[in-house]
Amino acid sequence: MRFRFYLMTAMSCYYVLLSAQQKACYDIIPQPLNVEEKTGEAFVINAQTSVYCDREGLSREADFLVEYIKHKTGIQLVKSARKEKSNQIQLSVKNEKNANMIWPQQSGEDYKLTVDKNIICIEGNGSAGVFYGIQSLRKSLPVAKGTVELSPVVITDSPRFVYRGMHLDCSRHFFDIEFVKEYIDILAFHNMNVFHWHLSDDQGWRIEMKRHPRLTEIGAWRSGTVLGHNSDLDDSIPHGGFYTQEQAREIVRYAQERHITVMPEIDLPGHTKAVLASYPELGCTGGPYEVGHRWGVYADVLCMGNPKCYDLVRDIIDELTDIFPSKYIHIGGDETPTVRWEACPKCNAIDRKGMTYQGYFTHQIVPYLEAKGRRAIGWDEILYTGADTNTAIMSWRGSDPGAEAAAKGHDVVMAPTSHCYFDYQQSKDVIHEPDNSDGGYIPVDKVYSLDPVPAKVKDETRKHILGVQANAWAEHLRTTGMVEYMTLPRMAALSEVAWTQPEKKDYKDFVRRVTRLTEDYESYHWQYAKHLWPERRNNQALE
Ligand code: ACM
Ligand code: ZN
């Protein structure tokens, strides 16, 4: 008898849990432009709610919505071909703007999300806008099984910047395509629209090149990795891997569906030890070279006086542009020592026409890229070695190079080490941190405080600041969990820097909203740093 009583109580609790009317909350990240809460009855998402889209082109968006709602509530919505008068979520495109994916002309990202008791309506001025409206709806829902009440609201929203980027270094440590897809999911969740894929560096070449197979046969593998921060010890554990062209195309498609442009980077002419290990004749000394084990900057770089280097780079551009539709291709350009060039007879023999060695190199490859209808972007060193204004600048050594570049007429992406290097530690309490940081200190509030348009940028050149990006350099990120830990929740702060108008930003309020956002992180088992929530940290001493 008692057993039956307990069983019935447990069953009814279970039933209440299952059927509990959860409530949506519009305290989301990034903070939208305008959230107008209305009075009136709530819309209820339940098992009878349907999803309608006004065109075939929104079918993938509708699928995402169904998937997200199933994940959060357990409710399986049905897609309907009929427009209903009630209990329906309707997706449509209104006042269509050029909604193609070619950044920086990207537009069509604005949306309006209206909830009343009968209908939830998401109107975008492109499918991207519909996608972002869906992201806002998704983030408004609680992570809880059962039906959800949504109080009436009108949200109108538009991003501050056309370029909202996250980088991932897949050279220093290789991450498989399953993780790259998960990373893209994380980007989409934070309204990011550019995935900067760092595909080559001294420690590994990561993309199949059909015309130059040794780049992956040799260049994708190193025989060991230095321990710690360039100690004298090597782990002697082989590390490597690469993406086939087919896999890279799969990533492009995956990202496109999520309105993210994949911008590949091949870092040239420095950071090329993996290239030199594959083709030693391309270096000034002829080698021998090995794929890098140590971090930092190597003196060995491509020989500027060897025509074969330019042939190789042109071939790489041919294959890259075939795989990646991104308007911009990142050509690297950072941290390139000149010592080998200065001592090399072949380099000395070229007529640089007054240009620096690196400027000469940039002028050889950029026109080739442009003849294919693409544009080049490079790290800010290329500004000082002689890039033309048609080349965009990624400002990493602070925001000043970006401000200077904008004043000269270059398009600019701000990614300053001061705020945007997510390989830097998030806490001064390093003893309790995983051994994965690059030394600097960038807590969440520091990321949040960034204005990508520095005061010194004059009004007439502001249009050149395309947006902002954070970098996840992976020298010390050996696992995918470490990548997640270093990027979350800082990516949430970045997403507000990139999306939200400055006058709407409020750090205290952000902390309240990001606390709620972590329920989503946990539901997806994304690792995240818990410094904002000391009570969640696992810092109990072992007995
Ligand atoms: C860089 O961090 N070397 C661009
Ligand atoms: Zn040389």
Side-chain angles (χ1 to χ4, degrees):
M1 202 57 189
R2 285 228 350 218
F3 174 73
R4 229 173 83 193
F5 171 76
Y6 284 133
L7 187 69
M8 281 174 64
T9 312
M11 276 176 66
S12 59
C13 286
Y14 182 63
Y15 179 75
V16 168
L17 272 179
L18 270 185
S19 61
Q21 194 86 315
Q22 304 289 337
K23 285 189 171 35
C25 164
Y26 304 115
D27 292 340
I28 56 175
I29 289 176
Q31 175 66 44
L33 192 59
N34 216 328
V35 180
E36 233 183 298
E37 304 238 21
K38 305 275 188 190
T39 53
E41 281 179 55
F43 183 99
V44 178
I45 294 181
N46 56 32
Q48 284 72 48
T49 306
S50 62
V51 179
Y52 166 85
C53 50
D54 78 344
R55 61 187 68 191
E56 185 55 34
L58 292 177
S59 178
R60 190 67 187 99
E61 274 65 35
D63 290 340
F64 281 128
L65 179 62
V66 170
E67 177 193 316
Y68 298 149
I69 289 183
K70 172 87 181 172
H71 172 82
K72 292 194 86 162
T73 67
I75 296 171
Q76 177 72 51
L77 302 192
V78 281
K79 279 167 78 178
S80 161
R82 267 212 356 240
K83 201 165 178 176
E84 306 288 352
K85 293 213 159 37
S86 68
N87 204 4
Q88 190 167 61
I89 306 176
Q90 297 173 352
L91 311 179
S92 63
V93 172
K94 291 263 161 63
N95 306 322
E96 187 159 13
K97 290 254 178 67
N98 168 23
N100 68 31
M101 285 296 297
I102 310 295
W103 158 81
Q105 288 82 4
Q106 188 130 21
S107 59
E109 295 187 316
D110 301 355
Y111 71 88
K112 182 173 174 193
L113 166 64
T114 313
V115 177
D116 68 28
K117 76 177 179 8
N118 294 315
I119 298 291
I120 296 177
C121 188
I122 298 175
E123 298 165 0
N125 66 349
S127 55
V130 175
F131 183 76
Y132 292 121
I134 289 171
Q135 296 306 317
S136 293
L137 177 60
R138 151 200 208 187
K139 286 180 264 195
S140 302
L141 303 179
V143 180
K145 299 299 175 215
T147 57
V148 191
E149 249 178 40
L150 293 97
S151 56
V153 75
V154 179
I155 298 178
T156 43
D157 205 2
S158 177
R160 180 177 178 201
F161 291 107
V162 293
Y163 184 112
R164 305 180 299 279
M166 275 300 307
H167 151 289
L168 182 63
D169 170 10
C170 293
S171 169
R172 272 53 176 271
H173 282 96
F174 176 72
F175 304 106
D176 67 20
I177 67 157
E178 287 319 309
F179 180 69
V180 174
K181 286 181 182 170
E182 177 147 28
Y183 194 67
I184 288 169
D185 287 340
I186 296 174
L187 266 59
F189 181 79
H190 292 88
N191 296 22
M192 294 289 149
N193 67 355
V194 180
F195 169 46
H196 172 170
W197 202 2
H198 187 75
L199 285 167
S200 79
D201 217 301
D202 297 301
Q203 297 81 5
W205 180 277
R206 301 283 176 237
I207 176 107
E208 176 189 22
M209 287 287 122
K210 304 232 188 242
R211 271 182 262 171
H212 299 281
R214 287 171 67 87
L215 286 172
T216 46
E217 285 163 11
I218 308 283
W221 310 95
R222 64 175 182 260
S223 56
T225 303
V226 67
L227 287 170
H229 296 254
N230 284 343
S231 72
D232 285 333
L233 281 178
D234 194 281
D235 68 9
S236 301
I237 300 170
H239 180 87
F242 65 92
Y243 309 100
T244 64
Q245 295 201 355
E246 201 36 59
Q247 287 175 323
R249 287 180 207 280
E250 192 179 325
I251 291 298
V252 168
R253 280 193 297 271
Y254 190 87
Q256 259 170 353
E257 286 186 342
R258 290 153 182 79
H259 299 276
I260 290 173
T261 298
V262 183
M263 181 177 75
E265 179 190 355
I266 297 300
D267 204 347
L268 302 164
H271 287 289
T272 41
K273 277 278 275 196
V275 179
L276 299 180
S278 312
Y279 298 102
E281 67 275 21
L282 301 184
C284 292
T285 65
Y289 305 106
E290 65 167 357
V291 178
H293 287 213
R294 297 171 68 79
W295 314 125
V297 176
Y298 286 90
D300 291 312
V301 299
L302 295 183
C303 174
M304 297 295 92
N306 185 345
K308 279 191 176 168
C309 282
Y310 303 101
D311 294 342
L312 175 98
V313 172
R314 282 189 279 268
D315 287 348
I316 290 170
I317 290 173
D318 286 348
E319 296 196 31
L320 276 188
T321 50
D322 195 45
I323 301 166
F324 297 99
S326 168
K327 180 85 177 168
Y328 277 73
I329 303 290
H330 202 301
I331 57 171
D334 59 325
E335 300 177 317
T336 308
T338 56
V339 280
R340 294 286 185 264
W341 297 336
E342 281 150 19
C344 171
K346 280 189 290 220
C347 286
N348 279 301
I350 49 177
D351 176 8
R352 289 185 271 123
K353 302 193 172 34
M355 287 184 262
T356 64
Y357 281 110
Q358 194 171 342
Y360 176 81
F361 175 80
T362 306
H363 278 87
Q364 296 295 305
I365 63 174
V366 169
Y368 191 76
L369 198 54
E370 290 176 349
K372 291 174 172 289
R374 307 302 179 92
R375 291 182 71 183
I377 183 167
W379 300 111
D380 60 53
E381 283 91 333
I382 68 171
L383 178 68
Y384 304 102
T385 51
D388 293 332
T389 51
N390 44 358
T391 299
I393 302 297
M394 190 167 269
S395 187
W396 72 280
R397 295 175 299 173
S399 297
D400 283 356
E404 194 178 326
K408 287 183 172 155
H410 294 263
D411 284 341
V412 170
V413 173
M414 290 292 189
T417 45
S418 53
H419 297 74
C420 295
Y421 268 44
F422 287 1
D423 50 324
Y424 289 5
Q425 68 206 32
Q426 306 180 63
S427 165
K428 290 197 165 152
D429 175 21
V430 285
I431 199 86
H432 293 111
E433 288 292 282
D435 175 26
N436 63 2
S437 95
D438 244 338
Y441 172 55
I442 305 182
V444 179
D445 61 327
K446 179 87 194 224
V447 179
Y448 196 81
S449 70
L450 177 66
D451 186 342
V453 183
K456 63 164 69 159
V457 175
K458 302 231 166 35
D459 281 352
E460 64 273 20
T461 57
R462 280 182 175 216
K463 62 174 189 291
H464 287 303
I465 311 287
L466 300 178
V468 61
Q469 171 176 299
N471 298 334
W473 296 105
E475 286 92 334
H476 307 289
L477 305 186
R478 296 183 301 278
T479 68
T480 58
M482 283 173 155
V483 176
E484 291 171 5
Y485 179 91
M486 294 306 268
T487 53
L488 301 177
R490 289 189 286 195
M491 202 189 299
L494 183 78
S495 101
E496 213 138 292
V497 170
W499 183 280
T500 304
Q501 293 299 328
E503 61 277 11
K504 294 269 173 183
K505 282 173 66 191
D506 174 341
Y507 182 67
K508 232 173 111 189
D509 194 58
F510 166 79
V511 172
R512 188 175 64 80
R513 287 176 288 114
V514 78
T515 301
R516 189 168 168 271
L517 196 76
T518 58
E519 289 173 22
D520 286 289
Y521 291 176
E522 288 179 10
S523 79
Y524 285 108
H525 307 291
W526 295 336
Q527 309 271 347
Y528 64 99
K530 304 208 171 70
H531 306 99
L532 293 177
W533 309 277
E535 70 285 2
R536 295 186 191 173
R537 298 192 67 199
N538 182 20
N539 53 7
Q540 282 173 351
L542 294 173
E543 293 297 314

